Amino acid sequence: MKIEKLIEERGKDYGNPEYFFSQLSGVWTAMLGIPVSPTECAALMIAFKNLRLVNNPNHLDTLDDIEGYTYIAKLLADKYCEQKD
């Protein structure tokens, strides 16, 4: 499945990735007591999915998830860099 289509499909269930990762950033920041940016949240989800892949290398959907989180991390990083300029 093309990554943009995957993100669109998942977005129907979970909402816009930019908004979702902004929400997740707020939750993890509050829980951990340290700032966690939306881009860092995406990176942590990639780490989570990589561990799942190590434990179950036959679950190929996990590779789609890793690709999706990587795509989202790039989008978030691009947005963050634009805001800093």
Side-chain angles (χ1 to χ4, degrees), residues 14-52:
Y14 305 114
N16 174 289
E18 184 181 323
Y19 182 70
F20 175 83
F21 278 88
S22 178
Q23 290 177 306
L24 186 59
S25 169
V27 169
W28 284 358
T29 292
M31 290 177 69
L32 297 171
I34 58 170
V36 182
S37 74
T39 306
E40 290 169 328
C41 289
L44 291 167
M45 291 304 296
I46 292 166
F48 171 78
K49 289 294 183 167
N50 274 300
L51 181 58
R52 281 196 163 176

Side-chain angles (χ1 to χ4, degrees), residues 1-10 12:
M1 175 181 285
K2 192 168 184 174
I3 197 63
E4 291 89 354
K5 181 73 174 162
L6 175 65
I7 290 172
E8 179 183 324
E9 288 299 313
R10 299 279 166 85
K12 291 176 185 175

Side-chain angles (χ1 to χ4, degrees), residues 20-82:
F20 175 83
F21 278 88
S22 178
Q23 290 177 306
L24 186 59
S25 169
V27 169
W28 284 358
T29 292
M31 290 177 69
L32 297 171
I34 58 170
V36 182
S37 74
T39 306
E40 290 169 328
C41 289
L44 291 167
M45 291 304 296
I46 292 166
F48 171 78
K49 289 294 183 167
N50 274 300
L51 181 58
R52 281 196 163 176
L53 187 62
V54 167
N55 288 322
N56 186 356
N58 298 319
H59 195 257
L60 299 181
D61 183 61
T62 299
L63 290 171
D64 290 337
D65 291 342
I66 291 168
E67 187 176 359
Y69 287 129
T70 301
Y71 183 87
I72 291 167
K74 287 178 184 178
L75 292 175
L76 294 171
D78 286 346
K79 179 179 172 104
Y80 177 74
C81 287
E82 289 175 9

